[in-house]
Amino acid sequence: MIRVQLEDFDLGLELSNLSNGNHQIGGMVSFVGLVRDMAAGDSISAMTLEHYPGMTEKQLAEIDQTANERWELNASLIIHRYGRLEPGDNIVLVACASPHRESAFDACHFLIDWLKTKAPFWKLEETRDGGHWVEAQTKDDVAMARWMK
Amino acid sequence: MKLLYFAWIRVKMGTSNEIVDPPSTVENVQNLIDWIVRRNSVSSETFSDLTTIRVAVNQEYVGLDHPIKPGDEVAFFPPVTGG
């Protein structure tokens, strides 16, 4: 399941909804991405996430489906926020439930690596010098490449 | 045909979208970019370095040789930075 939203999310509530009393589930792994107050030595006062409505949902749904085909999962969830966020705010949640921990860890790691290079979001950081667009990083492509096999 | 711009490309172009009607000789993404940049200096400056621009046609990533047709939604944006 995927959601793209302005609102914050509650990790505990989301995990509890994800397991939903399914006793086949042996473990759940979650990743939560947060806004940092520093980037490349600059102090960040806020960050605005822009996205491409329509394509974002399409890309996230494709990534989610790929993870479910590749690993044995009982359930998976991607929530990505957009709009203006401040340091400490939640940006993204990826959670996977599986009968076995290996699948849950791997699928969760795969999902966050893939969405970083596929989902059409862009970050505008606000610093003392004004706003600047975050540049894509080669290390994200490298992180994604390890799953291409 | 609908063109969409995101992030710094949107800012440089001064708009998030526009409806265009390129001539029939514009058959793929590269042709479309060539046609766009010929219109004015803002467009040519924005598209001066294509290595910094990604393209999606009808919400799927494509390369510069991807065919386009009237009615398509063509989006131009920088490499993504979500997550």
Side-chain angles (χ1 to χ4, degrees):
Chain A
M1 190 170 49
I2 63 129
R3 292 200 330 252
V4 181
Q5 63 187 46
L6 199 56
E7 304 77 31
D8 194 12
F9 52 80
D10 179 324
L11 175 63
L13 186 65
E14 297 299 342
L15 289 183
S16 143
N17 288 340
L18 195 68
S19 61
N20 193 30
N22 180 348
H23 297 168
Q24 307 278 302
I25 296 172
M28 295 195 286
V29 171
S30 63
F31 173 86
V32 178
L34 309 173
V35 180
R36 284 185 298 173
D37 63 359
M38 289 289 283
D42 283 335
S43 175
I44 308 293
S45 54
M47 169 185 284
T48 299
L49 272 149
E50 176 174 336
H51 79 115
Y52 179 175
M55 182 169 174
T56 305
E57 290 82 354
K58 200 169 168 179
Q59 289 294 321
L60 291 180
E62 278 179 24
I63 296 166
D64 189 40
Q65 191 186 336
T66 302
N68 278 272
E69 286 166 3
R70 202 158 156 180
W71 287 278
E72 184 186 3
L73 300 178
N74 301 105
S76 59
L77 173 67
I78 304 172
I79 301 176
H80 206 303
R81 297 180 68 194
Y82 62 91
R84 189 173 183 277
L85 303 173
E86 294 181 348
D89 284 350
N90 294 323
I91 304 174
V92 62
L93 165 65
V94 176
C96 293
S98 170
H100 308 290
R101 69 179 183 282
E102 292 84 358
S103 300
F105 273 114
D106 286 353
C108 186
H109 200 167
F110 164 84
L111 282 172
I112 189 63
D113 282 352
W114 268 55
L115 85 79
K116 276 186 101 74
T117 61
K118 297 267 187 193
F121 284 92
W122 303 276
K123 289 173 180 153
L124 178 69
E125 289 174 343
E126 292 173 31
T127 67
R128 208 178 306 176
D129 307 329
H132 70 267
W133 294 98
V134 174
E135 286 190 25
Q137 297 194 28
T138 314
K139 70 178 172 64
D140 291 334
D141 288 330
V142 172
M144 201 265 270
R146 99 178 93 162
W147 300 104
M148 307 266 280
K149 55 188 178 190
Chain B
M1 182 179 296
K2 188 175 190 185
L3 306 185
L4 299 175
Y5 307 115
F6 293 95
W8 61 259
I9 297 170
R10 168 179 58 74
V11 175
K12 274 198 177 177
M13 292 298 280
T15 183
S16 61
N17 66 85
E18 57 179 322
I19 304 293
V20 296
D21 187 15
S24 58
T25 50
V26 172
E27 294 175 338
N28 62 30
V29 172
Q30 181 68 63
N31 298 156
L32 177 64
I33 293 171
D34 293 342
W35 179 78
I36 290 170
V37 302
R38 276 200 300 273
R39 300 180 310 171
N40 53 55
S41 60
V42 167
S43 301
S44 60
E45 277 167 30
T46 306
F47 287 86
S48 62
D49 180 5
L50 291 185
T51 63
T52 63
I53 295 180
R54 299 291 176 268
V55 187
V57 172
N58 300 326
Q59 306 185 350
E60 294 288 349
Y61 288 101
V62 298
L64 293 175
D65 59 351
H66 188 84
I68 54 169
K69 57 186 188 310
D72 278 350
E73 178 176 292
V74 184
F76 297 99
F77 47 79
V80 302
T81 56

